[in-house]
Structure formats: structure tokens, C-alpha cells
Amino acid sequence: MLPSLERAAELHAGTGGMSASWATVLNMTSMAGSITNAGFVFTEDLAVPSYKIGKAALNMAMRVAAAKVKDKGILIVMMCPGWLKTDMGGRERAVLEPEESIADMLKTLSTLNESHHGIYMDRLGTPYPF
């Protein structure tokens, strides 16, 4: 995928604005993937450990990739959509409708710039600890 991203960044270089001049990779992560908050914010750490471990691995992989492509015009971010009312998230306990989360993420995406490169954030763009 890297050659395609590099080509997209080259095609749009110099056209102005972050969204127009950078190729963007948005990774859907989870706040449950935070190593810093493991056992403190998400106290049910023994529940579904493979999900948490997988999200932590995604965050690390993308942080490494972000460092590699920073000067190539490729923006990489990790974003958590929030706790959604879905089959996985739990329709009764979760707090957000998928449509609410999507609307928030689209607004946030339009505001991203190079200061957000390699950042782990919530759907509103607030940084979250790795």
C-alpha cells in the first residue's frame, strides 16, 4: 500500500491545505488498546484480552509506520470511534449511536494537520495515551 500512498501524496503536493496535500491513513482503534490505562481505566482487563492486545499492537505498528512516512506527505492517525451501540459494543450498555460517532469522526478528519501525525485520539481529536 505504501507505493499507492506515496503516489497519492505526490499527486496532491502543493495544492494547499492538509486534506488536499496529504494522503491520509485512518486506523480504527479503541481506547481499550491503551497500555498506559490498562488496569486503571478499563478495569475488566481480563475480559477479551486478545482484543485489547490487538489494538495495542495496531497502535504501535502505526506509530512506527508514521515515523517512517512523516516526510512523505502521508498522514497516519489512530482514532477510537467511542463505545458504540452495536452487537460488539453492547446495544444496552454502550453510549453512542454509530451515526453520532461517524459524524464526529468526519468533522475531526477535516481538521487534521501535520501536528496530528502519529497520534492516538478519540473521535473528537483529543489525544489519548499509548
Side-chain angles (χ1 to χ4, degrees):
M1 185 167 60
L2 183 58
S4 295
L5 290 167
E6 289 171 334
R7 180 75 176 131
E10 288 171 12
L11 288 172
H12 299 292
T15 59
M18 175 56 68
S19 60
S21 62
W22 285 56
T24 303
V25 178
L26 171 64
N27 297 277
M28 300 309 293
T29 189
S30 169
M31 297 306 177
S34 171
I35 294 170
T36 300
N37 289 331
F40 300 102
V41 174
F42 296 97
T43 56
E44 298 174 12
D45 279 334
L46 295 179
V48 198
S50 59
Y51 177 78
K52 295 172 176 88
I53 292 165
K55 291 302 185 178
L58 167 71
N59 294 341
M60 175 59 87
M62 291 301 102
R63 185 70 176 226
V64 169
K68 180 173 179 141
V69 302
K70 184 176 183 184
D71 296 327
K72 296 184 178 198
I74 300 169
L75 178 67
I76 296 179
V77 295
M78 289 74 58
M79 186 180 290
C80 175
W83 190 12
L84 303 181
K85 295 180 180 186
T86 62
D87 289 342
M88 183 180 162
R91 296 193 187 280
E92 301 301 320
R93 293 180 57 207
V95 297
L96 286 169
E97 293 293 339
E99 297 81 6
E100 293 174 84
S101 175
I102 292 166
D104 288 340
M105 288 188 294
L106 289 172
K107 285 179 197 169
T108 299
L109 280 171
S110 68
T111 67
L112 297 180
N113 60 48
E114 63 188 44
S115 72
H116 298 99
H117 186 68
I119 298 295
Y120 176 23
M121 66 180 75
D122 68 13
R123 71 187 186 286
L124 302 174
T126 305
Y128 201 74
F130 282 90

